[in-house]
Amino acid sequence: MARVNGREVQVEHLIQMKDLRTAYALLFGAGFVGGHHFYLDRLLHGTIAATTGNFFGVGWMVDLLCLPYYTSSFNRTATASRDRSCGRLCCCLPLVQCVVILVVCGIALGLPAFFHSAGVVDLEQRMAGTAGNPYVILDIDRDASAEELQKAYEAQLRDVEASKDCKLKESKESRESKACRMKKKHLKKAIEFSLRRSGETKEEPPRKQRRRTKSDEDREFDQWFDQRRSEWEALVAEVKEGSTRLFKSDDKAHEDL
């Protein structure tokens, strides 16, 4: 028990003073999500900061100067000693930051692939620029070798040339019909995309394995990075296109009403 303003109060009910060192540690460690505001019981400010990246970074700069005022304002109402949280925070915060970084990296690297594998969006079709999935167009598995891809392309090309669309000629210049040209165009895009992907994942035969140089490692990293970037670009393009279709359908529905 403790005596506050002449009354006996249980110690656990007392409001402890906040430590300015802890507030600054949270500002530098989790300032863009409002960690220091939540520590100082500034819940509304912290919620807004967490949803806006601390006002897009501007609030972080302001908090850097105003944090002593925030802390002293809270401590005016405190009736107990400091919470001594700085030491515990210095031990836990690096671990939390590592977990957050791993989660963010995992999302950045795996989110497009997750949507693709879940069937939400066909990133391969978007990246290849074809009317359908390039491997479906070629009728071949994704792990096929470059030689197998080329054979599949030649077989599909023969089928297209033998199709009814390619036997029909346009009357004026006796050219192939538009449908035939589109089929060949998408077939060519499919083989080009598939060969690029095959070149990224193709392994060297054991007898030809050699010591990899730094340039080889840099080239593989560049290919891997370009692949992740292409996936994100395809996902963003798909989201933009879907949003545009949604807005247009809403506008049309309002016009009908």
Side-chain angles (χ1 to χ4, degrees), residues 5 23 62 68 82 99 108 124 138-139 178 198 210 236 245:
N5 296 329
V62 174
R82 297 187 185 277
V99 172
E124 292 171 341
L138 294 172
D139 192 19
K178 183 178 179 180
S198 176
R210 56 187 176 83
V236 171
R245 289 197 301 266

Side-chain angles (χ1 to χ4, degrees), residues 132-143:
N133 187 281
Y135 295 101
V136 175
I137 293 176
L138 294 172
D139 192 19
I140 197 168
D141 295 333
R142 289 173 174 78
D143 56 353

Side-chain angles (χ1 to χ4, degrees), residues 18-41 54 60 63-64 67 71 83 85-86 88-90 92-94 96-97:
K18 300 299 183 180
D19 194 334
L20 181 60
R21 296 172 299 175
T22 302
Y24 268 114
L26 287 170
L27 175 66
F28 287 108
F32 286 98
V33 292
H36 53 297
H37 291 300
F38 290 112
Y39 171 68
L40 296 173
D41 285 348
N54 205 343
W60 191 93
D63 294 339
L64 185 65
L67 204 54
T71 307
D83 56 12
S85 58
C86 185
R88 297 192 301 271
L89 182 65
C90 290
C92 298
L93 189 59
V96 173
Q97 288 178 323

